[in-house]
Amino acid sequence: MSWRKDHRRPERGYHHGNLKEALLQAALGLIAEKGPAGFTFADAARSAGVSPAAPYRHFRDRDELLASIAQRGFEQFEAVLTKAWDDGRPDTVSAFERVGRAYLAFARNEPAYYSAMFESGVPVDVNPMLSAASERAFAIIRAAAERLAALTPPGVARPPALMMALHIWSMSHGIASLFGRGDAARRKLPMSAEDLLEAGVLIYLRGLGFPADRKPSDEAARPEPPSEPVPPRGPWGHKSAT
Amino acid sequence: MSWRKDHRRPERGYHHGNLKEALLQAALGLIAEKGPAGFTFADAARSAGVSPAAPYRHFRDRDELLASIAQRGFEQFEAVLTKAWDDGRPDTVSAFERVGRAYLAFARNEPAYYSAMFESGVPVDVNPMLSAASERAFAIIRAAAERLAALTPPGVARPPALMMALHIWSMSHGIASLFGRGDAARRKLPMSAEDLLEAGVLIYLRGLGFPADRKPSDEAARPEPPSEPVPPRGPWGHKSAT
DNA sequence: AGCTCATGTGAATAGTGTTTACATGAGGCG
DNA sequence: CGCCTCATGTAAACACTATTCACATGAGCT
């Protein structure tokens, strides 16, 4: 078996060569399997094929390892959100919803990172690097909210962008956290988490005075103020209430 | 009912007398101190003043202890929400918002229970008793959403109550989870979590076609359909956007 | 009283976290 | 080239936890 890296590189002897990275990957895999509390420092070491004491050369303790993973997670999260936002192209509203889907997709595709970031108990505010990375990720959501807030139709009070960002983030995190991953420890849903979030965000935006249908209403050439603020059908499809 | 010892001094002999309860309380205190992953079975035993093997007479393992705490948490949660809802008195909308505040208050006042319920990794669906308790708590939110959905103004499509309940729950949980507790591991906010949730719910309800101001609009004697569906000012106060 | 069994103890086994002294070998320097 | 040095990994040791076992205690029943 490959209890050492029997890859391209000539078989590693005494020295691993890239243990820090290997430990991060090993921990990531273990978190994905059993949750952020479901692995031990020794597990990570064994999974990387080194002795239990080796990780201490690279991380002060397990928390520092988790914090490193969380930081890397925030960086990837920021990249994903930035790409989804795409500076608001082709139009602000659809880009905004793309960010929401990207949020859920990240939580679903990278549950290990997401757990480390939000559910591992890592104190974000204590570590400046981690805190800054988290702030950069949130800044994407906030920037999107700013652009969206600037689009409020005339005659409607403009909402504070920060509050909007916090609301959207909270709903996204709540959905991801409660229903996002098929951990078998989560609750069943009558719809996909993505649909639930999209409907929620659409209703929320309508509550702020945005027109509800998906006409691009290209902000570069704003057509006219909406004449019917409450359209007849909502964003939740055609099912009637029970 | 006299199997109890004389409820006098905690003069404990060989037998504790109420160890199961004492272990639950001890674990609750430890969770409040160091999080749901921050205590051990032996810690709970020591904290209750018994030997490390004693807890095994009452709980199969640590997870069962956590599950018991989560179950008790869901029961208290249900009680708190039921009381806040008060069957929709005096009017549905204000009772609904009272439920939202009660949600946050529970997360804030009982962080140990809340952690055990939502952040401890306890598989809710596996344990029927736990699952049922969780379901009963959610049923309160859902029942409130049903009543609210029945109040949609005429001419507005009625939203599915389950979806409403899921949206409100998600936002409540997201806010509680991200900003709810002053754990020093949480993010700073420019407003209270309660205000953030209340504003979010009001905006959301307005998006569903509900009138936004707090006139009771007593559902028993519905006055008239709203003539101005988008009121001039929003629920977020008087601050203008940046 | 005497019995019985739920409840708690102490000891034993196994695994983990963490520290410390030691081993290895890659790269710099003569 | 040979030697030195230090980052990196190992082995051993200690403390703590999880879990189970045989055994002790005493509360409540008959």
Side-chain angles (χ1 to χ4, degrees), chain B residues 145 148-149 159-169 204-205 208 210:
Chain B
L148 207 50
L162 174 57
M163 185 196 71
M164 282 179 61
L166 292 172
H167 282 147
I168 302 289
W169 187 21
Y204 176 82
L205 293 183
L208 288 174
F210 288 87

Side-chain angles (χ1 to χ4, degrees), chain B residues 19 44 48-49 62 64-65 84 87 113 115 131 134 140 161 175:
Chain B
L19 182 54
R62 210 192 79 117
E64 193 174 291
L65 171 58
D87 206 32
Y113 277 127
S115 294
S131 176
S134 156
I140 306 300
I175 290 176

Side-chain angles (χ1 to χ4, degrees), chain A residues 103-170:
Chain A
Y103 191 111
L104 291 186
F106 183 84
R108 176 168 316 209
N109 299 333
E110 303 287 356
Y113 277 127
Y114 199 83
S115 294
M117 290 155 63
F118 293 117
E119 299 165 355
S120 68
V122 170
V124 174
D125 290 352
V126 164
N127 184 333
M129 301 291 292
L130 187 55
S131 176
S134 156
E135 213 57 53
R136 281 193 301 273
F138 176 61
I140 306 300
I141 300 179
R142 168 142 193 201
E146 299 269 8
R147 288 273 289 276
L148 206 51
L151 278 188
T152 47
V156 175
R158 177 167 303 178
L162 174 57
M163 185 196 71
M164 282 179 60
L166 292 172
H167 282 148
I168 301 289
W169 187 21
S170 295

Side-chain angles (χ1 to χ4, degrees), chain B residues 14-16 51 57-58:
Chain B
Y14 195 91
H15 286 285
H16 184 287
S51 77
R57 296 290 182 197
H58 300 275

Side-chain angles (χ1 to χ4, degrees), chain B residues 195-219:
Chain B
D195 289 348
L196 185 65
L197 177 60
E198 178 163 349
V201 170
L202 284 176
I203 293 168
Y204 176 82
L205 293 183
R206 206 167 54 167
L208 288 174
F210 288 87
D213 50 356
R214 187 62 59 69
K215 287 299 103 188
S217 81
D218 189 30
E219 52 263 24

Side-chain angles (χ1 to χ4, degrees), chain A residues 154-222:
Chain A
V156 175
R158 177 167 303 178
L162 174 57
M163 185 196 71
M164 282 179 60
L166 292 172
H167 282 148
I168 301 289
W169 187 21
S170 295
M171 189 177 280
S172 303
H173 176 69
I175 289 176
S177 185
L178 290 172
F179 319 107
R181 286 146 298 166
D183 279 358
R186 303 294 174 183
R187 188 176 296 265
K188 288 284 190 299
L189 269 190
M191 60 187 82
S192 78
E194 281 77 7
D195 289 348
L196 184 65
L197 177 61
E198 178 164 348
V201 170
L202 284 176
I203 294 168
Y204 176 83
L205 293 182
R206 204 166 56 169
L208 287 175
F210 287 90
D213 51 355
R214 188 63 60 69
K215 288 297 102 190
S217 83
D218 190 30
E219 53 262 24
R222 190 192 303 255

